[in-house]
Amino acid sequence: MLNESSDQLWVEPVGGIILARIRGVATADLIQECHQRIVVLQRDTGCKQVMYDALELERPPIEIVLTQQGLTDALKQADVKVAIVVPNTGIAYLARLAFGEANHRVFYNDIAAAVSWLGSP
């Protein structure tokens, strides 16, 4: 599974933010792997800011949105601030559904604004 996702998934701490970049078609396994990597980095670094870069993500089916929705509760309970950078309104709508009541905000093609929001009090 790691080899299949190596071109699609990148999760690393960058300047005090956990950056998760997902490209192409997202699968349930890929979303779960992304979440597991974020949780490990949060535990290891104490970071409470996460940015999902979905600029190269293809529009996922609703099943993938529901998978993320189930994982989002852990982010909500850990008091994490989440920025999601998207390329269009379709993925923005699905991101809002996926992250529900978590402390999140969706940004259209604007990584700089997402980083700024994450760094604000």
Side-chain angles (χ1 to χ4, degrees):
M1 179 169 70
L2 187 60
N3 290 338
E4 291 176 7
S5 67
S6 63
D7 291 337
Q8 287 186 272
L9 178 64
W10 185 80
V11 181
E12 294 291 331
V14 177
I17 296 171
I18 296 172
L19 175 60
R21 180 170 289 137
I22 301 173
R23 294 183 173 121
V25 177
T27 63
D29 288 341
L30 189 70
I31 296 298
Q32 290 169 347
E33 180 180 346
C34 180
H35 180 74
Q36 289 170 349
R37 289 185 190 185
I38 290 169
V39 168
V40 167
L41 282 172
Q42 283 181 303
R43 184 185 62 229
D44 292 349
T45 65
C47 185
K48 299 272 186 194
Q49 302 170 338
V50 176
M51 180 169 60
Y52 285 86
D53 176 348
L55 291 173
E56 297 180 47
L57 177 69
E58 292 185 26
R59 187 178 176 136
I62 194 67
E63 294 81 14
I64 301 305
V65 174
L66 296 175
T67 298
Q68 180 62 57
Q69 219 174 34
L71 299 171
T72 298
D73 284 340
L75 297 176
K76 189 170 60 176
Q77 293 170 355
D79 195 32
V80 173
K81 197 172 187 180
V82 179
I84 307 117
V85 183
V86 300
N88 58 53
T89 56
I91 293 178
Y93 175 73
L94 295 174
R96 287 184 181 96
L97 290 175
F99 287 90
E101 295 178 16
N103 182 13
H104 78 283
R105 186 167 168 195
V106 175
F107 296 85
Y108 292 88
N109 295 306
D110 198 345
I111 290 174
V115 170
S116 178
W117 179 76
L118 285 170
S120 68

